[in-house]
Amino acid sequence: MVNLANSLTILRILMAPVISILLVYRFWRLALAIFLLAGITDALDGFFARSRAERTELGMILDPLADKLLLFAAFMTLVYLHRIPRWLFIIVVSRDLILIGGFLVLYIAIGKSTVSVSQMGKLTTGLQLATVLGTMLDRVMGGVGPYLPPLIYMTAAVTIFSGLEYVLRGAKFLSG
């Protein structure tokens, strides 16, 4: 069922390639504005789903997918533009592919179709978003540059630890 919350999530999915195109053609301010708008739609879709009792199976699948597509598109484009290191992109994508593989194993083995998000997973997403946002802000207004290397290393470390946490949770769940 497509309700207001799911419509906002679908809009966020559609914003991902738009942001990439704008970045490639160096429309940094507009890309930043749309990236911020995507963040607002992320907050609003959750608010509407909860406040209007419109949580759906579709929304539970689309919301994290929208986050992943937005981050993947932004990271890939910023790597292409030499704004963030390639190794960080590899860490981020590898973690997500491992998690998808683990999810498929759980689904095939026991039919479990949802996995709860850990606090470390939320922190990972927040740091990844902050890395993209900081990189764009630095290009648009400057002044953020000195803070980017520590943020990038922190994002990498938390992404790795989050991936390990999910792997351990999945292994524990399968074994007992």
Side-chain angles (χ1 to χ4, degrees):
M1 176 173 148
V2 179
N3 54 32
L4 178 57
N6 291 345
S7 297
L8 288 170
T9 303
I10 291 167
L11 178 62
R12 195 162 77 252
I13 290 170
L14 297 174
M15 288 180 195
V18 172
I19 292 167
S20 286
I21 291 167
L22 291 170
L23 288 172
V24 166
Y25 287 100
R26 311 292 201 267
F27 293 105
W28 289 92
R29 290 183 193 284
L30 190 53
L32 176 59
I34 293 176
F35 188 77
L36 292 171
L37 180 62
I40 292 168
T41 64
D42 188 19
L44 286 175
D45 71 25
F47 171 77
F48 287 132
R50 286 185 298 278
S51 68
R52 300 171 72 172
E54 292 183 348
R55 286 187 166 169
T56 64
E57 289 271 333
L58 178 63
M60 289 173 30
I61 293 168
L62 286 181
D63 188 60
L65 176 66
D67 293 341
K68 294 300 169 200
L69 288 173
L70 185 66
L71 283 168
F72 177 81
F75 267 93
M76 183 178 63
T77 309
L78 291 171
V79 165
Y80 170 76
L81 296 172
H82 305 287
R83 294 289 173 182
I84 60 169
R86 193 176 314 157
W87 58 262
L88 180 61
F89 175 70
I90 292 168
I91 289 170
V92 168
V93 171
S94 295
R95 173 199 175 261
D96 288 345
L97 291 175
I98 290 167
L99 294 184
I100 291 168
F103 171 80
L104 291 174
V105 167
L106 282 175
Y107 185 76
I108 291 167
I110 57 175
K112 184 172 169 74
S113 63
T114 59
V115 176
S116 62
V117 178
S118 72
Q119 292 296 13
M120 186 71 78
K122 290 178 182 181
L123 179 60
T124 298
T125 300
L127 285 170
Q128 290 174 0
L129 288 168
T131 300
V132 170
L133 181 61
T135 302
M136 285 198 263
L137 280 171
D138 188 55
R139 183 64 176 94
V140 170
M141 11 188 289
V144 182
Y147 305 101
L148 287 177
L151 179 60
I152 285 168
Y153 286 112
M154 189 183 326
T155 300
V158 172
T159 299
I160 291 167
F161 286 123
S162 168
L164 292 172
E165 178 193 37
Y166 279 117
V167 168
L168 292 173
R169 281 175 61 193
K172 184 178 177 183
F173 193 80
L174 282 174
S175 67

